[in-house]
Amino acid sequence: MTQWAGVSKLSVMLETGGLAAGIYANGRNQVAVTISVKPSDENVKTYYGSISWLNRVNLVDYVNGAKLNWQGSTDWCFTDREDPHFHHVPGVGQAAEPELLDDGTQKFTFYVTCWPGVSQKAIAAWVETDTGKIYTTTAGSGATEGKVTLNPLVALTHRKADVNWDYSKTTTQYGNDTRYVTTQAWNYYLSLKYTDNYFVTFSVSGYWSDPGYEGFFACDITPENRHKNLYGSYVWYKEPHDSSYYSNDGFGGMIVNFPEGNNWWDYAKIYDRPYPSQYLCFTWVHATTGGNGWHIPNGPIDMWREYFIPVITAWDMYGNIGEFGIDGSGVDNGIDLADYP
């Protein structure tokens, strides 16, 4: 039975086809590096069997041969786990697919990350055969010498000046039915303002999560005119944005849910702009009812004025973050975004 005993060809290159790239030093931005190995057997013929690659195929420092940190959280690291959010090369478009060869060459793609404080890194390939022989493309290794160079970029922190924060009026499912309640709603949109970068995922803390009230974070039922005016704010935090909320009628965000006493709830049309995965949508509501006004308790609402102060973390396509806060106490006047902290 033949076994993997040698290597006739060994090379390393970026998935993009180049030999150098930038990478943000934030521990999330991934650059794909592909090792190509043409294995041979003990008779120096092409070996077509599978290579048990774990610990047999590695990325190492081109100069000193030291292995990069496997799935680590410091310095330069690599993994076989692609994160599609942050697998992007700054300044480069769609990555080229690695060429697939029928001559027995086997390809192994790894995803490299780095953390703040690192220096430029030249990376080489390293493999160990089933017979224990080691081949590398490190400096001085001879005919197989080769490297890719990654240049760390200072991680960005996005602030309010870097984002678009605007709003427009939206429709509600029962907005035209004003016999008992008049509802007006506005959507607010948080997105990165750059044309060559965008937010890809968000995390939000600070809201009610009870069924029917998910994302509700601020409420004020004003005492003027017998508690007839309700102001409410919502953050639609679930992902994926384009499918987590929508129903067949095109309305997705449940708002003004006061079933006890008022017997009323409505739905707002949300994520109504193109590319919903690239922005976070909020809704601000002013709803007026007749009779004895709005009733409490309803769901988690047991005071006329209650609110959270949500914190939003947004990650761009390179893993850089922005952190923003909203003071729910200002619910009467809309939704105001601020840098956090």
Side-chain angles (χ1 to χ4, degrees), residues 116-179:
V118 299
S119 300
Q120 182 187 79
K121 177 67 70 175
I123 298 172
W126 179 102
V127 298
E128 181 182 4
T129 70
D130 290 339
T131 59
K133 190 170 183 180
I134 293 174
Y135 294 81
T136 77
T137 66
T138 54
S141 58
T144 59
E145 184 174 331
K147 63 181 178 179
V148 296
T149 302
L150 296 182
N151 300 296
L153 308 174
V154 176
L156 302 177
T157 300
H158 299 298
R159 308 297 283 173
K160 187 176 178 180
D162 302 310
V163 304
N164 293 313
W165 177 250
D166 54 2
Y167 62 91
S168 61
K169 197 165 187 179
T170 189
T171 56
T172 67
Q173 188 168 16
Y174 306 119
N176 293 327
D177 182 358
T178 58
R179 291 171 297 170

Side-chain angles (χ1 to χ4, degrees), residues 197-238:
N197 194 3
Y198 48 85
F199 288 138
V200 295
T201 188
F202 302 84
S203 176
V204 184
S205 64
Y207 49 80
W208 282 286
S209 57
D210 308 55
Y213 302 87
E214 292 179 311
F216 193 23
F217 68 86
C219 175
D220 188 20
I221 302 174
T222 58
E224 297 86 359
N225 198 17
R226 298 165 58 184
H227 293 110
K228 291 185 177 182
N229 287 288
L230 180 154
Y231 299 93
S233 296
Y234 302 77
V235 55
W236 308 113
Y237 60 90
K238 290 183 181 179

